[in-house]
């Protein structure tokens, strides 16, 4: 018995060694419908990980051993598993059955979409800049990124095909999809294909990008003679499943195996106690857990938790911690006080008035031309009206602000872009432009419907944190563009539906950390020190992120650390709370300075 087992293990090791030596699949031979023998033990490198075609493996032990060789920070997937229970038995402590469904589109009957893509076009990935943009989208969606040189090496591949959706106006990459041609991957006798890594930027404005990418890939594979296109989707992703079924996909009984790793952990350990935390608290908790810091959720609904490490205990509410004093919170809480502190610190601040006299407010408006109206106390953009230019609109805005706080501030409107600086331990960790929500017309939908669809997309991308309110301020902004909420917006026309760029009211975030001007960095640090506060979101109005002009807007004592990918906001926050949890190698690097060269 032991001799047979030894021989079996030897055979597995031999085949595994041969697998690791494979570098590519041979092309299918010419000759029309001549039957060909399918390649065996096929593994395709997809950049984010390897794709194992289960139907090409005769031995479940070999498949399991290949899966166990998953590279660090990658995500291998074994698809089309014939006998998942047998494969799991070969490595039960390391593999798990992925809770995803497989869907198939029959390309022999597929007729494509009659809906024209508006506001973007789809093309093959063509450059390193494209690759960088694709990785930004994958990171924003919490997916594994791909080494940029992988795209360079596979530009001419007939096996792995990558396409991108490019915004027609800005030229930005707003979506991506990867497809695998099974005929060229392993001489598939069924001439199948599959779809992977479908991702749309969470801040994309144009509707229908995901569906258009699916249709585009299906059309390409159909033209190449593929008989079907398969995909794998999480069983709980009702929105995606509804989209695929609308396109024509039908569920098929194939299974997927994945390896137990930190990236897949949520799929096989079940819900965590803190699963109800919002994205801003969860980001910090996840980083703390990675370092072995104890986590106790004290109020998930409000984002409260307690962290403990080496006898040190710190209470947090998202990025607000015991390290922030009550005095600092009070300064940030009252916008009039914040402005006076910043003015004394030498920062540029807009003119401001706080009065109950409508005549004084009207006189101030006449003096400065346009104003911003905001409650003296409040957060998440509630009650703020921007770009008010008539006395009538001013008084209506004051009434809206009073629903949040009885004290109302009227401030000079400064033209510019909204820049958020995340300052932790008096260093700027992230800089991002925050842009107000906007919609793009399709020539068919009412503006109200476009806003609701965009609001659902923003909510899905932010874990329910972002919504575009259909309130008086939204109606006013739409009216200033010359439309009503029930008007149909012409195809391709884009309008801003709120002036505020706050994430919670539908605004979008665009990382500019690498190009932010030193003057703006210095202003952010000086503002934090003036309060003083160890963690803050400093908001400035700027001409451009790489130019020195700015005007201070406000300081937030509980800045959201999520949505600033790829900047390490959570890492630096936990560094501040627990310096001894910083990996030893990182501490030594900081002490010695960067390596030469």
């Amino acid at each position: 018995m032991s001799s047979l087992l030894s021989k079996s293990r030897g055979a597995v090791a031999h085949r595994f060694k041969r697998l690791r030596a494979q570098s590519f699949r041979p092309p299918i031979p010419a000759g029309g419908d001549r039957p060909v023998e399918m390649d065996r033990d096929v593994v395709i490198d997809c950049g984010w990980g390897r794709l194992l075609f289960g139907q090409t493996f005769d031995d479940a032990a070999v498949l399991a051993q290949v899966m166990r060789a998953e590279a660090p920070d990658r995500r291998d997937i074994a698809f089309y598993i014939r006998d998942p229970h047998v494969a799991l038995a070969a490595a039960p402590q390391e593999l798990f059955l992925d809770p995803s469904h497989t869907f198939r589109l029959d390309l022999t009957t597929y007729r494509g979409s009659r809906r024209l893509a508006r506001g973007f076009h789809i093309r093959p990935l063509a450059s390193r800049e494209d690759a960088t943009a694709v990785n930004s989208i994958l990171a924003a969606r919490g997916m594994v990124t791909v080494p940029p040189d992988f795209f360079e090496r596979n530009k001419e591949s007939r096996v792995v095909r990558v396409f991108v959706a490019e915004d027609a106006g800005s030229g930005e990459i707003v979506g991506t999809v990867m497809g695998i041609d099974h005929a060229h991957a392993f001489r598939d006798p069924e001439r199948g294909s599959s779809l992977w890594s479908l991702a749309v930027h969470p801040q994309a404005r144009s509707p229908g990008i995901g569906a258009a990418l699916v249709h585009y890939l299906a059309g390409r594979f159909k033209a190449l003679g593929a008989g079907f296109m398969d995909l794998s989707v999480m069983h709980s992703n009702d929105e995606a499943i509804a989209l695929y079924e609308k396109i024509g996909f039908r569920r098929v009984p194939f299974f997927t195996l994945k390896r137990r790793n930190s990236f897949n952990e949520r799929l096989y350990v079940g819900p965590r106690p803190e699963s109800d935390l919002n994205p801003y608290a969860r980001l910090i908790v996840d980083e703390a857990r990675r370092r072995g810091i104890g986590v106790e959720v004290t109020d998930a609904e409000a984002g409260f938790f307690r962290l403990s490490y080496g006898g040190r205990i710190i209470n947090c509410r998202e990025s607000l911690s015991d390290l922030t004093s009550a005095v600092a919170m009070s300064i940030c809480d009252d916008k009039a006080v914040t402005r006076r502190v910043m003015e004394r610190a030498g920062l540029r601040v807009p003119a401001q008035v706080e009065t109950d006299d409508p005549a004084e407010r009207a006189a101030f408006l006449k003096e400065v031309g346009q104003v911003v109206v905001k409650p003296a106390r409040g957060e998440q953009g509630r009650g703020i009206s921007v770009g008010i230019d008539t006395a009538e609109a001013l008084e209506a805005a004051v009434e809206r602000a009073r629903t949040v706080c009885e004290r109302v501030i009227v401030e000079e409107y400064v033209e510019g872009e909204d820049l958020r600086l995340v300052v932790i331990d008096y260093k700027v960790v992230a800089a991002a432009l925050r842009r107000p929500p906007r919609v793009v017309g399709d020539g068919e939908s009412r503006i109200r419907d476009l806003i609701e669809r965009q609001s659902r997309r923003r909510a899905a991308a932010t874990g329910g944190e972002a919504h575009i309110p259909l309130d008086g301020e939204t109606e006013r902004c739409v009216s200033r563009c010359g439309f009503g909420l029930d008007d149909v917006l012409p195809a391709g026309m884009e309008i801003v539906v709120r002036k505020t760029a706050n994430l919670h009211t539908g605004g979008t975030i665009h990382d500019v950390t690498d190009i932010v001007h030193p003057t703006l960095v210095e202003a952010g640090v000086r503002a934090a020190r003036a309060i003083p506060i160890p963690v803050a979101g400093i908001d400035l109005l700027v001409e451009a992120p790489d130019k020195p002009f700015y005007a201070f807007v406000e300081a937030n004592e509980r800045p959201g650390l999520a949505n600033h990918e790829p900047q390490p906001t959570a890492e630096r926050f936990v560094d501040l709370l627990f310096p001894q949890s910083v990996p030893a190698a990182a501490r030594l690097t900081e002490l010695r300075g960067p390596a030469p060269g």
Side-chain angles (χ1 to χ4, degrees):
M1 179 72 175
S2 61
S3 175
L4 288 174
L5 183 60
S6 176
K7 288 180 180 178
S8 174
R9 286 176 177 165
V12 168
H14 174 73
R15 292 177 64 192
F16 178 57
K17 185 176 181 181
R18 176 173 56 81
L19 267 173
R20 295 188 65 179
Q22 287 179 295
S23 58
F24 65 91
R25 311 301 326 162
I28 56 173
D33 296 326
R34 284 188 309 171
V36 296
E37 183 181 351
M38 181 171 64
D39 292 328
R40 313 310 304 173
D41 300 343
V42 175
V43 181
I44 301 297
D45 182 9
C46 297
W48 38 260
R50 300 173 303 165
L51 189 59
L52 285 68
F53 286 91
Q55 71 270 52
T56 70
F57 284 79
D58 296 319
D59 191 332
V62 172
L63 184 144
Q65 192 158 348
V66 175
M67 288 291 287
R68 294 174 67 189
E70 179 183 69
D73 301 321
R74 299 295 95 187
R75 191 187 196 191
D76 291 352
I77 299 174
F79 202 38
Y80 302 112
I81 302 302
R82 183 179 302 151
D83 297 310
H85 53 296
V86 177
L88 283 172
Q93 303 303 319
E94 296 184 57
L95 303 180
F96 70 97
L97 189 62
D98 182 43
S100 293
H101 295 323
T102 302
F103 280 81
R104 172 167 293 181
L105 180 65
D106 185 349
L107 296 180
T108 63
T109 59
Y110 171 72
R111 294 292 178 265
S113 173
R114 295 180 180 178
R115 187 182 181 90
L116 296 176
R118 299 184 186 277
F120 63 94
H121 64 272
I122 299 173
R123 60 171 175 78
L125 184 145
S127 66
R128 182 166 284 266
E129 289 73 23
D130 287 350
T132 301
V134 164
N135 274 335
S136 295
I137 295 172
L138 296 177
R141 285 298 189 182
M143 299 165 70
V144 178
T145 56
V146 178
D149 66 328
F150 170 84
F151 295 117
E152 293 286 335
R153 289 185 279 109
N154 286 274
K155 277 199 299 187
E156 306 300 325
S157 172
R158 301 173 73 184
V159 175
V160 181
R161 301 169 186 270
V162 182
F163 301 97
V164 295
E166 179 180 304
D167 187 273
S170 65
E172 295 177 353
I173 302 303
V174 293
T176 181
V177 69
M178 175 183 288
I180 305 295
D181 187 327
H182 297 182
H184 286 92
F186 57 92
R187 296 189 288 194
D188 181 11
E190 296 183 287
R191 298 191 68 89
S193 63
S194 53
L195 177 153
W196 302 93
S197 294
L198 175 66
V200 176
H201 199 291
Q203 298 174 168
R205 298 184 296 273
S206 299
I209 296 172
L213 285 164
V214 175
H215 280 297
Y216 187 87
L217 189 64
R220 290 295 293 260
F221 280 139
K222 180 180 175 70
L224 291 169
F228 59 83
M229 183 171 76
D230 289 349
L231 57 82
S232 179
V233 59
M234 189 59 56
H235 73 98
S236 57
N237 193 344
D238 296 333
E239 188 176 357
I241 289 172
L243 167 66
Y244 296 138
E245 289 179 336
K246 184 177 180 180
I247 290 173
F249 284 84
R250 296 294 177 263
R251 189 175 163 190
V252 288
F254 296 120
F255 301 97
T256 304
L257 289 183
K258 291 179 181 174
R259 188 169 177 270
R260 296 174 186 261
N261 57 28
S262 58
F263 188 86
N264 290 325
E265 186 177 0
R266 62 187 177 84
L267 301 178
Y268 61 83
V269 299
R272 289 177 173 175
E274 65 272 14
S275 59
D276 291 335
L277 288 172
N278 65 40
Y280 307 105
R282 195 181 311 121
L283 183 78
I284 298 167
V285 164
D286 287 347
E287 175 61 23
R289 283 191 178 280
R290 277 192 287 271
R291 301 194 193 187
I293 295 170
V295 176
E296 178 187 353
V297 178
T298 51
D299 190 317
E301 185 176 354
F304 286 91
F305 53 91
R306 182 179 296 119
L307 303 178
S308 57
Y309 185 81
R312 180 179 173 89
I313 298 174
I314 297 183
N315 294 285
C316 301
R317 184 184 185 189
E318 299 165 10
S319 65
L320 178 66
S321 76
D322 291 335
L323 275 60
T324 296
S325 70
V327 171
M329 281 187 63
S330 298
I331 292 173
C332 293
D333 181 55
D334 191 319
K335 294 177 175 60
V337 174
T338 312
R339 180 189 177 281
R340 292 197 295 270
V341 169
M342 295 304 130
E343 190 172 27
R344 286 195 293 270
L347 276 76
R348 302 187 191 117
V349 294
Q352 195 179 85
V353 64
E354 183 181 343
T355 176
D356 291 328
D357 186 348
E360 291 183 14
R361 289 196 290 262
F364 181 75
L365 172 63
K366 185 176 181 180
E367 177 186 346
V368 299
Q370 288 190 73
V371 296
V372 176
V373 179
K374 53 189 176 183
R377 290 177 172 169
E379 60 180 4
Q380 299 183 350
R382 290 193 289 265
I384 297 178
S385 301
V386 178
I388 301 295
D389 56 4
T390 68
E392 181 181 9
L394 173 57
E395 293 310 305
V398 168
E399 291 307 311
R400 279 195 296 274
R402 279 182 175 152
T403 64
V404 177
C405 176
E406 188 60 31
R407 287 176 50 218
V408 175
I409 292 170
V410 180
E411 185 176 272
E412 174 190 8
Y413 173 70
V414 177
E415 189 73 41
E417 295 199 85
D418 188 323
L419 180 71
R420 160 62 62 93
L421 300 175
V422 177
V423 182
I424 299 177
D425 198 17
Y426 306 109
K427 301 179 185 70
V428 172
V429 174
L433 288 180
R434 303 192 300 174
R435 292 185 174 131
R438 56 197 75 199
V439 297
V440 179
D442 59 8
E444 301 172 2
S445 305
R446 298 181 304 169
I447 293 174
R448 180 188 306 276
D449 298 328
L450 293 172
I451 292 173
E452 288 177 344
R453 289 205 293 266
Q454 177 73 338
S455 184
R456 286 195 295 271
R457 288 195 295 271
R458 297 295 300 125
T462 59
E465 291 296 309
H467 299 274
I468 306 175
L470 276 169
D471 57 10
E473 175 63 8
T474 298
E475 189 170 8
R476 182 185 73 84
C477 291
V478 171
S479 177
R480 287 187 59 144
C481 296
F483 297 97
L485 288 175
D486 292 314
D487 292 338
V488 173
L489 192 62
M493 177 176 284
E494 180 179 277
I495 63 170
V496 174
V497 297
R498 288 184 80 86
K499 285 286 189 178
T500 53
N502 193 284
L503 178 72
H504 293 273
T505 53
T508 58
I509 295 180
H510 308 265
D511 181 67
V512 293
T513 308
D514 292 341
I515 63 170
V516 69
H517 196 279
T519 298
L520 307 182
V521 172
E522 192 271 337
V525 173
R526 197 187 333 161
R529 289 193 180 279
I531 294 174
I533 188 168
V535 179
I538 305 298
D539 295 338
L540 308 175
L541 281 170
V542 301
E543 180 183 359
D546 56 353
K547 295 184 179 180
F549 172 79
Y550 73 88
F552 174 85
V553 177
E554 64 180 41
N556 190 315
E557 76 280 4
R558 182 164 51 100
L561 302 185
N563 305 301
H564 283 282
E565 297 85 0
Q567 306 309 326
T569 51
E571 290 93 321
R572 297 295 84 81
F573 178 71
V574 177
D575 289 350
L576 171 69
L577 303 190
F578 300 99
Q580 293 307 309
S581 74
V582 178
R587 289 203 303 271
L588 287 172
T589 299
E590 188 170 332
L591 287 171
R592 296 170 180 166

